[in-house]
Amino acid sequence: MSQSALAQVEVSTDSLAIAELIAPHGGVLKELYLPPDEAERLKQRSAGLPGVDLDTRQQCDLELLLNGAFSPLEGFLTERDYRRVVDELRLADDTLWPIPITLDVSEEFAARLAPGSEVALRDTQGVPLAVLEVEDIYRPDRQYEAAQVFGTTDPTHPGVAELLQRYRPVNLGGRVRGIQAPSHYDFTVLRDSPRSLRAWFAENGWQRIVAFQTRNPMHRAHRELTLRAAQQVGAKLLVQPSVGRTKPGDIDHYTRVRCYQALLPQYPAHSAKLSLLPLAMRMGGPREAMWHAIIRKNYGASHFIVGRDHAGPGKDASGKPFYGPFDAQHLLERHQDELGIRIVPFPAMVYVANRDTYLPSTEVQADDEVRDISGTQLRRHLHEGSEIPAWFSFPEVVDILRERHPANAQRGFALFFTGLSGAGKSTIAQAVVAQLLERTSRALTVLDGDEVRKHLSKGLTFSREDRDANVTRIGYVASEIVRHGGIAVCAPIAPYAQARAQARGLVEAHGDFIEIHVATSLEVCEARDRKGLYAQARAGTIPHFTGISDPYEEPEQPELRVDGNAAQPHVLAQRIVAVLEQRGLL
């Protein structure tokens, strides 16, 4: 590799070693990994530091911070940077940056820290990946952040739902020092870092590269779009799908990557490369499109395809799209020169049956016969085993999708009952179980609150932290049941919205989550008091009792809300079963 193709320099900033790579059109890339000997010393020392076990989003963010994909960031945003990003799409130094990259933690954890503290950042197995040097501890306004970043506070938006329901209340800001990269055991040859991908481009003489972002399997329309875009700018094609975390309900990344691999031979030889991006998407529309472009610049691309409704999550609660079809293109065009990567705006590609070809939607004539298959229709074809037209996709791709989603396979789901003690959760759940077993032989598991406390969560107290842990354990077990096509019926009190949201996230990675708020009034629950718990709580002998001395955060938008005192359990169960039938789960 020539020095002109790729230069590397080492700099040191306040003990943070940053490797800077300079590519012809990719800008400066800042890697945050320490040299091996320093990383090993920090790894040993990190065992004695307060630590955070990162969730999926946080780990994806950390990985892309460390390998330079989030350049010029050198850590999680401080309050000064955060506020400017939220309000103006810029860092405090005026650099363009559209999405807040923050490390959220609980109040209890934050109370142990002060500016100057160090925090070990670990994966789900407890392996140290980096150390955060805490510069800032601040409490953001999540409602305001949602309105500014996503343009809405509607929890139908998956990014808003996560922000308002799952993010913890305190942000830690500061630089990170990388110890080691997260481990990935799948598709290892496709997991390029910005450094390695830039080197591959240089070694293969690729100078003009147009990148394509996707989170869905690619079909013929995607191939036509990417071919035309590459030809339009005279570039090679980088297909770089997000495989960190996408929209709930999306096809799993293992299946999608197999589909991309099957599709690649449909491109001219040596014209397209597949590389995976461990990005946790926010589905943030125009801002996210700008974010995607900056990331692809850091990976060495010279151009970036921005399609119709790029990174849009669909429609809001009223049925209106969250973003206009070309909002992302307009935003990126306004910042074209500053971005450092050229934007290739492209309309949707549609199949025109009377011409037997794909055309940009802008070239369709009034008398053309346009055909399309939506994601919902594709899932229906797969479920029914019905024919998928040859014009829509390639047989190799369809075969992989049918293998993953065999005809007539049942989708797993969890019924998650929540409500006050004595609301009737367990009784209604038992009635639902009876009605389900009357009509199906599917595997069904009941995770009742009391039984879980006795076995799965034995030893946990009723502190908020332990209550959250209890609900998270229920969510994890339910997600495993759902992943294998089973039915999980959960009936905890689950008083806190954030823990319920976390349980939802775990389950929705594999199937459906049906939240049922048993909204029986406190007066009725207390009058029932079959176990005498309310009387003890009123007397002060039971601390932290939900509804008396501890809050119950009512679900804002459950799939179903029932009053446990309004009808007999079997009648309420019939309503719940009817919802399952309407959703096609039975």
Side-chain angles (χ1 to χ4, degrees):
M1 188 188 314
S2 68
Q3 288 295 322
S4 61
L6 189 64
Q8 177 179 340
V9 297
E10 294 288 341
V11 300
S12 179
T13 308
D14 297 334
S15 80
L16 174 63
I18 302 173
E20 291 194 352
L21 291 162
I22 304 173
H25 51 69
V28 175
L29 177 74
K30 294 185 177 181
E31 293 181 326
L32 307 180
Y33 290 108
L34 292 174
D37 55 340
E38 292 183 38
E40 181 59 31
R41 288 195 294 271
L42 186 59
K43 178 181 179 180
Q44 298 300 322
R45 194 163 62 80
S46 71
L49 298 176
V52 173
D53 288 344
L54 304 174
D55 60 26
T56 301
R57 169 183 50 84
Q58 293 169 334
Q59 183 167 311
C60 288
D61 286 353
L62 179 63
E63 180 171 2
L64 295 180
L65 280 169
L66 294 177
N67 70 18
F70 282 177
S71 295
L73 301 190
E74 297 178 11
F76 293 99
L77 297 187
T78 62
E79 184 172 16
R80 188 162 167 258
D81 281 322
Y82 165 83
R83 292 194 181 282
R84 282 214 67 191
V85 169
V86 168
D87 287 332
E88 304 175 52
L89 292 83
R90 294 185 181 277
L91 300 172
D93 66 3
D94 219 36
T95 301
L96 205 60
W97 189 268
I99 297 291
I101 305 300
T102 56
L103 181 67
D104 55 298
V105 299
S106 67
E107 288 280 6
E108 293 82 1
F109 185 78
R112 301 160 53 191
L113 307 173
S117 300
E118 292 182 312
V119 175
L121 306 179
R122 306 183 179 110
D123 67 13
T124 55
Q125 305 298 315
V127 176
L129 304 176
V131 168
L132 169 71
E133 298 176 340
V134 178
E135 182 179 340
D136 247 352
I137 303 172
Y138 58 102
R139 291 156 182 80
D141 183 337
R142 301 294 187 200
Q143 289 279 343
Y144 182 77
E145 180 180 340
Q148 292 295 104
V149 174
F150 298 111
T152 180
T153 57
D154 183 349
T156 307
H157 189 300
V160 171
E162 181 179 42
L163 180 65
L164 298 185
Q165 299 171 8
R166 301 178 200 169
Y167 275 50
R168 298 162 191 84
V170 184
N171 284 352
L172 304 181
R175 292 175 173 173
V176 293
R177 290 177 290 165
I179 295 173
Q180 59 189 316
S183 297
H184 296 288
Y185 304 105
D186 59 318
F187 306 112
T188 53
V189 298
L190 299 177
R191 290 186 176 273
D192 299 288
S193 68
R195 175 197 287 263
S196 67
L197 191 57
R198 287 182 176 198
W200 189 93
F201 291 151
E203 290 165 1
N204 287 272
W206 285 27
Q207 296 183 338
R208 294 174 68 85
I209 303 106
V210 59
F212 179 63
Q213 152 77 28
T214 180
R215 48 169 255 269
N216 293 311
M218 290 176 65
H219 303 292
R220 289 184 184 270
H222 302 99
R223 175 185 174 274
E224 292 298 322
L225 185 155
T226 50
L227 269 177
R228 286 174 178 249
Q231 291 167 358
Q232 177 178 305
V233 298
K236 304 288 190 179
L237 175 66
L238 170 64
V239 178
Q240 195 177 39
S242 294
V243 297
R245 191 204 55 191
T246 57
K247 184 180 176 182
D250 281 352
I251 291 175
D252 65 278
H253 82 271
Y254 298 99
T255 302
R256 289 190 287 116
V257 174
R258 292 175 60 206
C259 289
Y260 304 138
Q261 290 174 317
L263 178 75
L264 219 60
Q266 301 297 332
Y267 290 96
H270 311 299
S271 70
K273 179 173 177 58
L274 173 63
S275 182
L276 308 185
L277 179 68
L279 178 72
M281 293 184 64
R282 272 65 163 180
M283 304 305 299
R287 280 191 183 230
E288 178 127 357
M290 179 184 286
W291 190 38
H292 290 174
I294 294 170
I295 292 168
R296 272 35 184 245
K297 175 190 70 175
N298 288 329
Y299 271 92
S302 58
H303 295 72
F304 181 60
I305 299 170
V306 183
R308 187 179 185 276
D309 193 24
H310 188 109
K315 298 179 180 179
D316 63 18
S318 66
K320 179 184 176 182
F322 282 105
Y323 309 112
F326 305 111
D327 285 357
Q329 295 181 1
H330 296 330
L331 177 65
L332 269 68
E333 286 169 349
R334 289 201 300 271
H335 296 280
Q336 174 75 86
D337 294 336
E338 191 176 0
L339 276 171
I341 184 171
R342 304 306 297 175
I343 304 307
V344 185
F346 225 88
M349 297 294 295
V350 296
Y351 179 69
V352 182
N354 53 297
R355 303 198 223 179
D356 189 26
T357 189
Y358 275 90
L359 291 175
S361 57
T362 52
E363 297 179 15
V364 173
Q365 302 299 314
D367 58 348
D368 280 332
E369 182 184 346
V370 176
R371 295 181 184 174
D372 189 21
I373 293 179
S374 68
T376 300
Q377 290 171 323
L378 175 59
R379 287 190 291 272
R380 185 180 303 121
H381 280 301
L382 293 170
H383 179 71
E384 296 173 351
S386 53
E387 181 182 359
I388 296 173
W391 57 262
F392 175 74
S393 193
F394 298 95
E396 300 88 343
V397 172
V398 172
D399 287 346
I400 292 169
L401 292 175
R402 288 199 187 282
E403 180 185 355
R404 177 63 180 86
H405 300 278
N408 300 314
Q410 295 290 338
R411 181 174 171 85
F413 64 89
L415 295 175
F416 193 94
F417 294 84
T418 174
L420 296 172
S421 177
K425 301 180 300 298
S426 297
T427 303
I428 299 169
Q430 290 171 5
V432 170
V433 168
Q435 293 187 23
L436 290 176
L437 293 178
E438 283 180 1
R439 65 183 67 197
T440 180
S441 59
R442 293 177 63 182
L444 188 152
T445 303
V446 178
L447 298 170
D448 181 75
D450 289 341
E451 290 300 310
V452 168
R453 278 280 180 179
K454 187 184 299 182
H455 302 291
L456 183 63
S457 295
K458 185 176 182 180
L460 291 184
T461 69
F462 287 89
S463 68
R464 177 161 191 149
E465 185 177 7
D466 279 3
R467 286 185 171 191
D468 285 351
N470 179 56
V471 173
T472 300
R473 292 179 187 184
I474 291 172
Y476 172 74
V477 175
S479 73
E480 289 298 297
I481 294 166
V482 168
R483 182 163 71 93
H484 294 287
I487 301 171
V489 179
C490 315
I493 293 174
Y496 306 125
Q498 182 174 312
R500 294 195 300 264
Q502 187 169 4
R504 177 186 289 273
L506 290 167
V507 170
E508 286 185 337
H510 307 294
D512 286 47
F513 185 91
I514 315 296
E515 185 175 40
I516 303 162
H517 177 206
V518 184
T520 313
S521 69
L522 175 62
E523 292 74 19
V524 171
C525 294
E526 193 164 2
R528 290 174 175 176
D529 203 14
R530 287 174 292 193
K531 301 177 183 177
L533 300 177
Y534 281 96
Q536 295 179 62
R538 292 289 186 189
T541 57
I542 300 180
H544 306 298
F545 192 84
T546 300
I548 304 298
S549 53
D550 216 54
Y552 177 78
E553 300 170 2
E554 290 195 0
E556 293 183 2
Q557 289 187 316
E559 279 70 16
L560 188 63
R561 201 185 305 272
V562 299
D563 184 344
N565 197 47
Q568 292 296 314
H570 74 278
V571 175
L572 298 175
Q574 288 170 356
R575 287 182 56 191
I576 295 167
V577 171
V579 169
L580 298 178
E581 290 174 337
Q582 292 166 8
R583 294 173 69 112
L585 295 171
L586 292 179

